[in-house]
Amino acid sequence: MSGGRLAATDVVVGYSRGSRVLDRASLAVPEGRRLAVLGANGSGKTTLLRCLSGALVPASGRISLDDAALEHTRRGLQAHRQQVQLVLQDPDDQLFSASVAQDVSFGPLNMDLAEDEVRARVVEALELLAVTGLAARPTHQLSYGERKRVAIAGAVAMRPRVLLLDEPTAGLDPSAVTEALAALDRLQRRGSTVVMSTHDVDLALGWADEVAVVVDGRVVQGEPEPVLGDDALLARARLDRPWALSVGARLHQLGLLPEGPLPRDTEALLAALPTGTAPTTPGRS
Amino acid sequence: MSGGRLAATDVVVGYSRGSRVLDRASLAVPEGRRLAVLGANGSGKTTLLRCLSGALVPASGRISLDDAALEHTRRGLQAHRQQVQLVLQDPDDQLFSASVAQDVSFGPLNMDLAEDEVRARVVEALELLAVTGLAARPTHQLSYGERKRVAIAGAVAMRPRVLLLDEPTAGLDPSAVTEALAALDRLQRRGSTVVMSTHDVDLALGWADEVAVVVDGRVVQGEPEPVLGDDALLARARLDRPWALSVGARLHQLGLLPEGPLPRDTEALLAALPTGTAPTTPGRS
Amino acid sequence: MHIAEGFLPPAHAIGWTIAAAPFVVHGARAVVKEVRENPESTLLLGAAGAFTFVLSAIKLPSVTGSSSHPTGTGVGAILFRPPVMALLGTVVLLFQALLLAHGGLTTLGANAFSMAVVGPWAGYGTYRLARRASGNLLVGVFAGMMIADLSTYVTTSLQLALAFPDAESGFLGAAVKFLGVFAVTQVPLAVAEGFLGVLLFRVLTVN
Amino acid sequence: MTGLAVDDAAWASTWRPRAVGDKLLLTLGLVLCALVLPVWPGSLLVGLTAVGLALGPARVPARVFARAVRLPLAFVAVGAVTAVVQVSTDGIGWAPDAAATGGALVGHALAGGAAVMLLATTTPVSDLLPALRRARVPAAVVEVASMIYRLLFVLLISMRTIREAQTSRLGYSTARRSYRSSGLLAAAVLTRSWDRARRLQGGLAGRGMTTDLRVLPEVLPSSRSFLAGTVLGLTVLCGLTVVLS
């Protein structure tokens, strides 16, 4: 476990009932790559993200940034939070202000930045999340998807090096998911490392450069294809195998897909398949 | 529009801002079949379900059960609610009693049933939803997936003929989705009509006998394949085309799938494809 | 039932504002101290105030067939003590005046005196006495919330009687009139709020 | 929408971007005029001004404004009738100047109510709270008030959803069940409110919350012509009242 600037090493988190949520879990966040943290509900993926963000103190093990261990002191946490931000699943757990722009300004102001700088960061964060039009709207009138994006903007305005997102696409419809992923792309291009937790294996396969599956309190990390193609692991993790890997593998056997990595989503699969002669829509409508 | 025992006809629901949420929407719930109501967030699918359940009074149009129009009087609604139950998306706002068994007994107790009968219905509902083990647990200790199933059990204990579910699988991980769908299957086999709203087109294609897409305030209803294969409709509705239809259509053109309806999920697709010689897992792990 | 905007003569509006002010300032000091010692309590107090606002929007069926709303200050007084409630109640009254057109700005002082000062103190006192006398939490809650509700309306009636004394029988005659209209009719609703408190605390103590 | 029509109107009003001080001067001026000027023609003029400004330049929907002003009418009517009924040894009767006194009460209340609603339908409560801060109200109190404003919408949605679920399961079919359901509802909303506060605390700690909830102040520029118009208008209103009465 090394190479990641943000990392968890042998982290143990135990809850009251005796069973451990995380049991010597280790994760290295690869810098500049997209990491999807996968796991069933209750597997401990949120707990892992909360440990990485400093919100939760593990019973043992360490969280490190640039190989320096995080100290859970007021000062240590304050420094850590300027580099690592966690966006929670429920936006109502992070939005407190009546106005969108004011809410986004909260984090930068807590960093003791000058007012002009705060203002600039608010504008930038709203733009990156494509919610500039909502700046003057009251928080309580926003839709769920809009509140989610404003909550992300609140973290982005602090310009963290690593952005951790707990289920950013949960509850969003397909077009909102597309918009959210596009916003994450813009963030990444700007140099942030983006980590997303999800239980949607198809989404993870299509989006991530690297995946980490939280199972039995530990983490299995690696490239998407081998990890998400490991049926035994997925069964233990109570996750499904992505359809694209199942279908792709069969089509590969049938000689219909070229050598190399399997396509990861519908578009890639259709592009890789030989074209037929009839139109692509089925003729039954 | 006829044949359905529960139906909405030319329903109009308008909000203050002038734009109508539902604009002469009509839907017939086919008895004994699985109906998926699809739409983006904010499309009005929840509004439609709330109209069908009697919770919302449409500005015009009618809701009918067995061809008798629902009257929004105290008595009319009370009779309607014994036949039609709606389970809302967020279980947190539907569980309000201290323990699971108490919460599930709330509806039957309000139906003036004898105590033995109430007890029997609670047991039955908990069994149908596979949450018998949770009966004595306080509701706030349950996981999200468990709370969702308990909320459904609360409606099921009233033995409605039609069960309307708003996004019953949202926020659930794959194994919880499987469990929820299995519970809905048991309900249906027992004679209930099950209607589910969702924005997951893949889920709808795999589950539903019939689909209804809510778009621009109206409803387009029909068999899953033609409706979910209609790209123009899906674009207007801000929904994706199910991957199985896209991939299946291409494979059909390539002569790899037999004539007849396209497979609707991974298992069906793999079963319909010719088998290759190599093992089904990709050889790269 | 709050006194509507413009209903009280200017002298009375000013007088009640002065009467309520020390209690509200005292409550504000308590809140400032609490927040200084414990910054997170901003959120908890905000939640308590929001709950009071929302509770007063719950419709209670009354015996007479009409419906009314609980004052909600009794439960707050028992949970958060009367000084804090004096402040939270006043903020909630301001929000009700602006968001629901319920009450008013020039009558805020009079309404705060009845609902955020007298109601919580009377309710809390009754709660302590009844709880000690009976040895039972729920008896205390019932009596406390009933008296918090009732004393609020008695105060409102007396405020109106002071502002509009009867031409012949003076303040006493007016008090009889206003009590008859605004407080006696409230008795079943006060009992209802007491029951609501019992149901509420029963659920809370089970959890 | 949130379901609080006055709040929705305030956020949508064309006067929302105006400086809060400007609007406060105008509306509080009208509120005071409604209180102290004689009912004829003072109340009428204040009422007409408030309604005219709200429906005209501030673009408040007429339905919302009418409903908001109508809401306290039940109290005003009952209160005014009670005030002018006389109780004497020979029974109940009207006070000698019942019509005039009652009319004055209703007039003052309606005019004052309309003036307060002009403020409420053009200025979100969250805009008024920073003004309290400038009036030397302690920051902690203003922050608590801001949290009340934010959380009350979250809790209102919870309350409505829980009540809808209870209603659907026949929880309000008789008076006795209604009591029981209301008690469960109140308890559920109370536990939700604590839970909300606790979770928000965690969320804000992660965003670097230290001791206060500091945000960037919103700059709403004051308008000289609006202020001049306000002073002139209020002077004319008072002058007319004195001349006519």
Side-chain angles (χ1 to χ4, degrees):
Chain A
M1 279 303 135
S2 77
R5 278 180 146 175
L6 176 66
T9 315
D10 291 332
V11 163
V12 175
V13 176
Y15 274 174
S16 52
R17 300 225 159 177
S19 81
R20 286 176 166 173
V21 180
L22 294 178
D23 190 8
R24 282 176 298 128
S26 295
L27 175 80
V29 176
E31 185 139 35
R33 300 186 83 195
R34 310 158 178 212
L35 173 67
V37 177
L38 285 145
N41 291 341
S43 63
K45 57 186 190 304
T46 303
T47 305
L48 180 61
L49 293 189
R50 292 182 67 216
C51 285
L52 286 169
S53 78
L56 197 70
V57 188
S60 72
R62 68 172 212 162
I63 305 297
S64 54
L65 188 63
D66 294 329
D67 296 320
L70 163 64
E71 288 182 44
H72 291 87
T73 58
R74 201 183 181 81
R75 175 175 291 191
L77 284 171
Q78 202 160 332
H80 191 74
R81 283 181 185 134
Q82 304 203 4
Q83 313 245 23
V84 181
Q85 274 289 305
L86 168 63
V87 180
L88 301 171
Q89 182 175 352
D90 187 345
D92 286 332
D93 290 347
Q94 280 179 310
L95 302 178
F96 70 98
S97 176
S99 122
V100 168
Q102 293 190 338
D103 198 286
V104 174
S105 73
F106 178 71
L109 277 174
N110 287 333
M111 294 166 77
D112 291 322
L113 299 170
E115 223 177 271
D116 283 353
E117 171 70 11
V118 172
R119 225 172 277 279
R121 288 197 179 198
V122 170
V123 169
E124 178 194 70
L126 292 175
E127 253 167 36
L128 274 163
L129 272 297
V131 286
T132 306
L134 305 178
R137 289 270 300 283
T139 313
H140 59 265
Q141 277 186 12
L142 304 183
S143 73
Y144 183 76
E146 289 168 341
R147 290 205 302 281
K148 276 214 149 181
R149 278 196 281 167
V150 171
I152 299 176
V156 164
M158 298 176 78
R159 290 215 192 121
R161 263 163 55 196
V162 183
L163 187 66
L164 310 168
L165 303 133
D166 194 16
E167 306 256 10
T169 60
L172 300 186
D173 62 34
S175 69
V177 169
T178 309
E179 283 168 11
L181 294 183
L184 297 187
D185 271 1
R186 286 192 292 275
L187 287 175
Q188 212 205 1
R189 274 200 303 274
R190 223 201 38 182
S192 299
T193 299
V194 178
V195 180
M196 171 205 296
S197 84
T198 181
H199 45 60
D200 186 336
V201 287
D202 296 320
L203 178 81
L205 180 70
W207 177 80
D209 298 319
E210 201 169 320
V211 298
V213 176
V214 185
V215 52
D216 302 334
R218 316 205 54 158
V219 178
V220 177
Q221 186 175 1
E223 297 292 310
E225 275 181 55
V227 174
L228 296 180
D230 182 342
D231 288 325
L233 173 72
L234 292 174
R236 274 199 299 141
R238 288 186 292 126
L239 292 172
D240 287 343
R241 186 188 166 112
W243 69 265
L245 286 188
S246 299
V247 173
R250 176 73 72 82
L251 295 174
H252 181 72
Q253 285 160 25
L254 293 168
L256 288 160
L257 290 176
E259 281 304 313
L262 291 175
R264 290 182 171 189
D265 54 27
T266 312
E267 285 78 53
L269 182 64
L270 290 179
L273 281 173
T275 35
T277 43
T280 38
T281 33
R284 59 191 77 225
S285 59
Chain B
M1 278 303 136
S2 76
R5 278 180 145 176
L6 176 65
T9 316
D10 291 332
V11 163
V12 175
V13 175
Y15 273 174
S16 54
R17 299 226 157 172
S19 81
R20 284 174 168 174
V21 179
L22 295 177
D23 190 8
R24 282 176 297 128
S26 296
L27 175 80
V29 175
E31 184 140 34
R33 300 186 82 194
R34 307 158 180 215
L35 174 67
V37 177
L38 285 144
N41 291 343
S43 63
K45 57 185 191 304
T46 304
T47 305
L48 181 62
L49 293 189
R50 291 180 67 218
C51 285
L52 286 169
S53 78
L56 196 70
V57 188
S60 73
R62 67 172 212 163
I63 304 297
S64 54
L65 187 64
D66 295 329
D67 295 320
L70 163 64
E71 288 182 44
H72 291 87
T73 57
R74 202 183 179 81
R75 177 175 289 190
L77 284 170
Q78 201 159 330
H80 191 74
R81 287 179 182 133
Q82 306 205 8
Q83 313 245 19
V84 180
Q85 277 286 309
L86 167 61
V87 181
L88 294 168
Q89 181 177 352
D90 191 346
D92 290 335
D93 288 342
Q94 292 182 90
L95 306 178
F96 39 79
S97 306
S99 85
V100 168
Q102 265 179 34
D103 203 90
V104 174
S105 72
F106 182 82
L109 276 175
N110 291 331
M111 293 168 79
D112 290 324
L113 300 169
E115 213 168 295
D116 283 354
E117 172 70 10
V118 171
R119 222 175 285 279
R121 288 197 179 197
V122 171
V123 169
E124 178 194 68
L126 292 174
E127 252 167 36
L128 275 164
L129 273 297
V131 286
T132 306
L134 307 177
R137 292 268 295 278
T139 48
H140 63 262
Q141 273 186 12
L142 307 180
S143 74
Y144 186 76
E146 289 169 341
R147 291 204 297 279
K148 276 218 149 181
R149 279 193 284 164
V150 170
I152 299 176
V156 164
M158 297 179 76
R159 291 214 191 122
R161 262 163 57 196
V162 183
L163 188 65
L164 309 169
L165 302 142
D166 194 18
E167 306 255 10
T169 61
L172 299 186
D173 61 36
S175 69
V177 169
T178 309
E179 283 168 11
L181 294 182
L184 297 188
D185 271 1
R186 287 193 292 275
L187 287 176
Q188 214 204 359
R189 274 201 302 276
R190 222 201 39 181
S192 299
T193 299
V194 178
V195 180
M196 171 207 295
S197 85
T198 181
H199 45 58
D200 186 337
V201 288
D202 297 318
L203 178 81
L205 181 70
W207 177 79
D209 298 319
E210 202 168 319
V211 298
V213 176
V214 185
V215 53
D216 301 333
R218 316 204 55 158
V219 178
V220 178
Q221 186 174 2
E223 298 292 311
E225 274 181 56
V227 174
L228 297 180
D230 182 342
D231 288 324
L233 174 72
L234 292 174
R236 277 199 298 142
R238 287 186 293 129
L239 293 171
D240 288 342
R241 186 188 166 111
W243 69 266
L245 286 187
S246 300
V247 174
R250 176 72 72 82
L251 295 174
H252 180 73
Q253 283 162 29
L254 293 169
L256 288 160
L257 290 176
E259 281 301 314
L262 291 175
R264 292 183 170 188
D265 54 28
T266 312
E267 285 78 53
L269 182 65
L270 290 179
L273 279 173
T275 34
T277 43
T280 38
T281 32
R284 60 189 77 226
S285 56
Chain C
M1 189 80 63
H2 308 330
I3 302 177
E5 174 61 43
F7 205 79
L8 285 182
H12 288 258
I14 294 167
W16 288 116
T17 305
I18 293 170
F23 294 93
V24 179
V25 169
H26 177 229
R29 289 233 176 91
V31 165
V32 169
K33 184 162 168 273
E34 174 73 37
V35 168
R36 191 173 301 144
E37 283 164 9
N38 204 351
E40 298 92 67
S41 53
T42 303
L43 303 173
L44 199 67
L45 291 168
F51 171 70
T52 309
F53 183 97
V54 172
L55 185 64
S56 69
I58 290 181
K59 240 186 233 160
L60 279 184
S62 85
V63 186
T64 50
S66 69
S67 61
S68 184
H69 304 280
T71 60
T73 54
V75 61
I78 293 169
L79 291 171
F80 304 107
R81 302 294 161 88
V84 169
M85 222 36 221
L87 179 80
L88 292 183
T90 306
V91 175
V92 167
L93 279 166
L94 176 68
F95 282 22
Q96 287 176 332
L98 292 168
L99 295 173
L100 306 173
H102 198 186
L105 296 183
T106 63
T107 52
L108 184 65
N111 287 326
F113 191 82
S114 65
M115 205 186 98
V117 176
V118 175
W121 276 108
Y124 185 70
T126 310
Y127 159 77
R128 293 291 298 263
L129 283 176
R131 192 178 169 180
R132 193 172 303 163
S134 67
N136 186 327
L137 168 76
L138 294 182
V139 172
V141 167
F142 176 80
M145 285 187 62
M146 186 178 78
I147 293 302
D149 182 302
L150 204 57
S151 61
T152 298
Y153 287 91
V154 168
T155 308
T156 303
S157 304
L158 296 179
Q159 287 171 329
L160 290 170
L162 268 177
F164 307 106
D166 196 89
E168 222 159 83
S169 47
F171 167 72
L172 279 179
V176 171
K177 281 191 308 188
F178 282 107
L179 283 169
V181 172
F182 288 116
V184 174
T185 52
Q186 190 67 24
V187 170
L189 295 170
V191 174
E193 186 160 350
F195 276 126
L196 181 77
V198 171
L199 286 164
L200 195 157
F201 275 85
R202 198 189 278 160
V203 176
L204 290 183
T205 44
V206 167
N207 277 357
Chain D
M1 288 294 98
T2 57
L4 287 183
V6 172
D7 182 72
D8 288 344
W11 284 99
S13 162
T14 51
W15 276 14
R16 144 85 178 114
R18 289 198 174 277
V20 175
D22 292 13
K23 288 183 281 187
L24 276 176
L25 180 71
L26 169 66
T27 52
L28 293 185
L30 285 173
V31 168
L32 286 183
C33 285
L35 194 68
V36 299
L37 291 182
V39 67
W40 169 259
S43 294
L44 184 72
L45 290 175
V46 169
L48 286 178
T49 309
V51 173
L53 290 174
L55 306 191
R59 304 269 178 82
V60 177
R63 219 159 39 124
V64 174
F65 199 82
R67 195 173 295 170
V69 175
R70 207 176 58 206
L71 216 114
L73 265 188
F75 171 86
V76 171
V78 174
V81 167
T82 313
V84 299
V85 159
Q86 199 167 28
V87 187
S88 61
T89 40
D90 28 286
I92 295 173
W94 295 110
D97 52 351
T101 312
L105 268 177
V106 173
H108 279 299
L110 282 181
V116 171
M117 274 308 111
L118 175 61
L119 175 66
T121 52
T122 56
T123 316
V125 170
S126 52
D127 286 2
L128 288 171
L129 298 176
L132 285 180
R133 185 76 195 92
R134 284 195 292 277
R136 301 274 187 84
V137 174
V141 171
V142 174
E143 282 176 3
V144 168
S146 308
M147 281 321 302
I148 295 178
Y149 181 73
R150 168 82 184 106
L151 285 174
L152 76 86
F153 291 101
V154 178
L155 291 185
L156 270 180
I157 290 170
S158 274
M159 185 191 79
R160 289 195 189 125
T161 315
I162 296 170
R163 189 163 55 199
E164 186 171 323
Q166 290 179 322
T167 311
S168 170
R169 287 157 71 187
L170 305 175
Y172 292 89
S173 47
T174 65
R176 201 166 151 260
R177 285 175 197 147
S178 298
Y179 276 123
R180 183 162 168 269
S181 299
S182 300
L184 289 171
L185 175 60
V189 174
L190 181 61
T191 41
R192 300 286 183 289
S193 69
W194 280 341
D195 190 44
R196 279 280 156 215
R198 194 180 46 74
R199 289 165 55 173
L200 196 53
Q201 186 188 313
L204 294 185
R207 296 177 63 190
M209 176 180 168
T210 47
T211 51
D212 52 3
L213 298 171
R214 210 149 45 103
V215 293
L216 263 192
E218 196 177 14
V219 185
L220 301 172
S222 172
S223 155
R224 275 178 184 215
S225 51
F226 189 91
L227 287 174
T230 297
V231 172
L232 187 69
L234 289 174
T235 313
V236 169
L237 201 157
C238 293
L240 262 179
T241 306
V242 171
V243 171
L244 286 173
S245 66

